Amino acid sequence: MSVHDELPEAHRSRLHRGMSKIRGFMARHYLLLQVYRVLVFVVGLVCVVAGIIMLVTPGPGWLAIFLGFGLWGTEFSAAHRLNVWGRRQFVKAWHRIEHHRHERHRRQTRARWQGRTNKEHFCPSGVHYHGG
């Protein structure tokens, strides 16, 4: 499964459906919803601050920062927009990397092919089997 296929699939997961039910319940209880939002803000803030600290100390700093913004994105529209933008940039970068890998492979194969004396049969290992 490619990266491009995994991202939209997350919205059909059991976890996502379960969280939707919980959010529906909390929407009917205002105080519970406010407590949940404060909790999301505090946990997200702890993740972001810990990630910033881990940027200069050993640890997965960027992972913690992205986790904190991901948590904030569940409740705050600005953080959600930032997550959507970041996801789009990640997919673009992934496609660029894959394109460069493919082009490099084509150039290397072309160079190997050009350097061969036997241009009628190309075998990457250089070992030819002639049965008979």
Side-chain angles (χ1 to χ4, degrees):
M1 179 177 289
S2 72
V3 171
H4 198 61
D5 295 334
E6 281 184 29
L7 293 174
E9 185 176 295
H11 293 290
R12 295 186 297 264
S13 71
R14 283 180 30 197
L15 177 66
H16 187 74
R17 288 191 307 265
M19 286 302 294
S20 294
K21 288 180 185 178
I22 292 171
R23 296 275 300 142
F25 175 76
M26 284 190 295
R28 293 187 301 269
H29 298 86
Y30 181 75
L31 183 61
L32 186 60
L33 182 62
Q34 296 308 313
V35 169
Y36 175 75
R37 285 184 175 167
V38 167
L39 184 66
V40 165
F41 177 76
V42 170
V43 172
L45 183 65
V46 167
C47 287
V48 169
V49 169
I52 291 171
I53 291 170
M54 284 189 277
L55 287 176
V56 295
T57 62
W62 287 111
L63 180 65
I65 291 171
F66 293 141
L67 179 65
F69 273 101
L71 287 171
W72 282 343
T74 63
E75 286 304 309
F76 307 111
S77 61
H80 179 72
R81 285 192 306 272
L82 182 65
N83 284 339
V84 169
W85 177 83
R87 183 183 310 152
R88 195 173 33 239
Q89 296 305 314
F90 174 78
V91 170
K92 281 183 189 177
W94 184 262
H95 287 303
R96 268 195 314 272
I97 289 168
E98 287 296 311
H99 176 72
H100 289 304
R101 277 187 56 232
H102 179 70
E103 288 299 315
R104 185 178 68 232
H105 176 71
R106 288 186 56 191
R107 283 192 306 271
Q108 289 172 348
T109 303
R110 190 178 314 122
R112 271 196 311 262
W113 179 258
Q114 303 256 337
R116 293 189 59 82
T117 56
N118 178 7
K119 299 211 186 271
E120 312 212 342
H121 174 74
F122 175 69
C123 180
S125 65
V127 178
H128 302 278
Y129 173 72
H130 301 285

